[in-house]
């Protein structure tokens, strides 16, 4: 019966799920980067950039969120399955928001 | 022998027990069990992203429709308090990440102190949010029967509106500031509710950690709570610029 359970060996074909422990050094660097990002976004809000103010603010927020997802939430060190799941979720999110907004943008096209 | 055959032929105790009690029999390894739990947590968080995404979309659409009202509304928020809260939340994400690392490396003291720090920072965030809500209450900026457009039709009577240099607004547009505050309370309120749930879970985790819990390698709860806490941080990373910052100039 024992040969039936040889797959119980954690190393047989499951290398992707091996735990990768992210250490304090990495967390510290990401924490510092998030603080810099926060300072930048506050600073940018005091600059007059017209229509670019929200664009810059959202861009910085996206960079900060990506750092949190990749390092604090360990996605950089996760399996392809996890990466694909998060990517697919983000893609669906952008489809939903993008299509909703495109409807509002295009309905009164040319009338503004 | 493929893994499917193993799954169907392995009866409950058909092998030697060389694994810890918390490893369920239907998983090949603890790594697989952990990844399955994290996978489920991520699916939940993705539904949460869709939920907050709806609020963000509503905010963007209404901001375009009632732009002057949204600009004047956001001038009522304190960038100082908002920035300080951002600092608290990002720091709490860092301390939570350190908590997960402490659990992974079986550091009892590290885990307990990380959880305490995360808890204090989380409560601090809600405390400042309360101060902000109280100010809105006193100025009748809470949507509903008592909502007042005073600050927007007569900006010189309002310290914040005056400081931002707001121009007097017609009554029609001034009334739309109520839409801004509705979305402000819906978004920050849902975020605060997630914080309150997180703080309750943190208390339970701390209770167990103080008694030596999570030191046997069974740390899925700590890891998945970490994911939840970081997600709440990400929501605030977007809320802060959208509500507080992007209308500073107009």
């Amino acid at each position: 019966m024992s040969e039936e359970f040889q797959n119980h060996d954690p190393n047989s074909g499951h290398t992707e799920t091996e735990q990768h422990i992210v250490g304090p050094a990495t967390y510290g660097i990401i924490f510092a980067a998030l603080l810099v990002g926060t300072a930048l976004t506050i600073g940018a809000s005091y600059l007059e950039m017209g229509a670019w103010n929200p664009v810059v603010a959202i861009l910085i927020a996206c960079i900060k969120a990506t750092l949190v997802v990749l390092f604090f939430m360990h996605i950089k060190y996760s399996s392809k399955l996890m990466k694909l799941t998060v990517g697919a979720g983000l893609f669906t999110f952008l489809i939903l928001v993008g299509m909703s907004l495109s409807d509002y943008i295009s309905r009164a096209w040319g009338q503004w | 022998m493929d893994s499917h055959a193993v799954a169907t032929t392995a009866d409950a105790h058909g092998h030697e027990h060389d694994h810890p009690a918390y490893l369920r029999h239907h998983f090949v390894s603890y790594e697989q069990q952990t990844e399955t739990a994290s996978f489920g947590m991520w699916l939940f968080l993705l539904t949460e992203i869709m939920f907050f995404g709806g609020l963000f979309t509503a905010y963007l659409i209404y901001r375009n429709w009632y732009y002057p009202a949204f600009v004047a509304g956001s001038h009522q928020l304190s960038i100082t308090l908002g920035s300080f809260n951002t600092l608290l939340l990002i720091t709490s994400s860092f301390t939570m990440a350190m908590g997960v690392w402490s659990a992974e490396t079986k550091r009892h003291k590290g885990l307990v102190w990380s959880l305490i720090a995360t808890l204090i920072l989380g409560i601090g965030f809600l405390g400042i949010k309360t101060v902000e809500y109280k100010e809105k209450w006193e100025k009748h900026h809470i949507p509903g029967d008592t909502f007042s457009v005073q600050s927007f039709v007569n900006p010189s009577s309002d310290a914040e509106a005056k400081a931002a240099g707001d121009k007097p607004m017609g009554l029609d547009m001034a009334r739309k500031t109520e839409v801004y505050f509705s979305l402000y309370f819906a978004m920050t309120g849902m975020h605060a509710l997630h914080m309150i749930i997180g703080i309750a879970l943190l208390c339970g985790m701390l209770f167990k950690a103080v008694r030596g819990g999570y030191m046997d390698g069974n740390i899925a709860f700590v890891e998945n709570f970490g994911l939840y806490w970081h997600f709440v941080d990400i929501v605030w990373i977007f809320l802060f610029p959208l509500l507080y910052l992007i209308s500073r100039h107009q």
Side-chain angles (χ1 to χ4, degrees):
Chain A
M1 192 145 192
S2 64
E3 86 239 21
E4 281 181 314
F5 298 105
Q6 53 189 234
N7 276 351
H8 274 258
D9 175 7
N11 297 321
S12 64
H14 286 276
T15 47
E16 270 197 350
T17 57
E18 265 175 45
Q19 289 289 90
H20 182 288
I21 294 177
V22 186
T26 309
Y27 287 144
I29 291 167
I30 298 305
F31 177 47
L34 291 174
L35 291 180
V36 170
T38 305
L40 280 179
T41 195
I42 295 168
S45 77
Y46 285 96
L47 300 175
E48 183 59 81
M49 291 184 285
W52 289 97
N53 269 328
V55 176
V56 169
I58 291 174
L59 195 70
I60 295 174
C62 286
I63 293 170
K64 286 166 73 184
T66 308
L67 288 178
V68 173
V69 168
L70 287 182
F71 295 96
F72 281 3
M73 298 170 94
H74 304 154
I75 285 300
K76 186 178 189 291
Y77 311 98
S78 297
S79 64
K80 282 176 184 154
L81 171 71
M82 301 288 281
K83 284 177 178 146
L84 189 65
T85 307
V86 174
L90 188 69
F91 181 70
T92 313
F93 172 81
L94 290 176
I95 291 274
L96 290 173
V97 174
M99 286 203 163
S100 304
L101 290 179
S102 72
D103 181 32
Y104 282 98
I105 290 168
S106 60
R107 229 177 241 207
W109 196 262
Q111 291 175 31
W112 14 264
Chain B
M1 190 59 65
D2 64 24
S3 60
H4 183 258
V6 170
T8 50
T9 56
D11 58 14
H13 292 92
H15 63 102
E16 316 85 60
H17 275 85
D18 55 347
H19 61 78
Y22 53 77
L23 174 58
R24 304 290 173 178
H25 280 102
H26 48 278
F27 291 112
V28 166
S29 61
Y30 180 69
E31 284 71 28
Q32 192 196 33
Q33 178 173 313
T34 309
E35 170 152 306
T36 307
S38 294
F39 182 71
M41 191 65 202
W42 266 105
L43 290 185
F44 166 66
L45 292 182
L46 289 172
T47 67
E48 290 268 82
I49 289 172
M50 303 302 164
F51 169 69
F52 278 100
L55 289 169
F56 280 112
T57 308
Y59 179 80
L60 288 176
I61 290 167
Y62 278 112
R63 186 173 184 270
N64 270 308
W65 279 356
Y66 308 130
Y67 186 70
F70 271 55
V71 169
S74 82
H75 286 169
Q76 293 293 319
L77 304 185
S78 160
I79 288 198
T80 314
L81 292 180
S83 307
F84 190 63
N85 254 354
T86 308
L87 179 68
L88 288 187
L89 214 53
I90 286 177
T91 311
S92 86
S93 244
F94 171 68
T95 57
M96 191 57 224
M98 292 304 291
V100 170
W101 173 75
S102 303
E104 283 169 340
T105 53
K106 297 187 167 45
R107 286 173 162 82
H108 172 72
K109 272 191 176 169
L111 175 62
V112 170
W113 284 109
S114 301
L115 294 181
I116 290 174
T118 310
L119 186 63
I120 291 172
L121 290 163
I123 292 171
F125 176 93
L126 286 176
I128 289 176
K129 206 77 224 147
T130 311
V131 172
E132 290 186 273
Y133 279 8
K134 183 171 176 283
E135 190 252 356
K136 299 285 166 290
W137 171 266
E138 285 167 352
K139 288 174 80 171
H140 294 280
H141 285 164
I142 305 221
D145 288 344
T146 57
F147 187 79
S148 162
V149 293
Q150 169 79 27
S151 315
F152 311 108
V153 291
N154 185 13
S156 55
S157 70
D158 180 289
E160 276 78 17
K162 208 173 168 182
D166 285 353
K167 303 270 179 296
M169 212 180 275
L171 191 59
D172 272 5
M173 189 51 85
R175 280 186 187 284
K176 298 302 179 195
T177 54
E178 201 172 356
V179 178
Y180 172 82
F181 285 110
S182 299
L183 284 163
Y184 167 78
F185 282 108
M187 293 164 98
T188 59
M190 281 316 301
H191 179 264
L193 177 65
H194 280 78
M195 295 281 300
I196 292 168
I197 294 168
I199 284 169
L201 293 170
L202 255 175
C203 288
M205 214 157 55
L206 185 59
F207 184 81
K208 201 173 159 185
V210 168
R211 279 153 185 78
Y214 309 114
M215 290 297 121
D216 57 352
N218 186 16
I219 57 162
F221 191 89
V222 181
E223 286 181 329
N224 288 329
F225 176 82
L227 292 180
Y228 175 84
W229 196 256
H230 298 315
F231 161 77
V232 176
D233 184 31
I234 288 176
V235 172
W236 184 258
I237 284 176
F238 283 95
L239 280 181
F240 174 57
L242 286 178
L243 291 172
Y244 290 74
L245 296 179
I246 57 175
S247 306
R248 260 307 103 173
H249 280 284
Q250 291 83 1

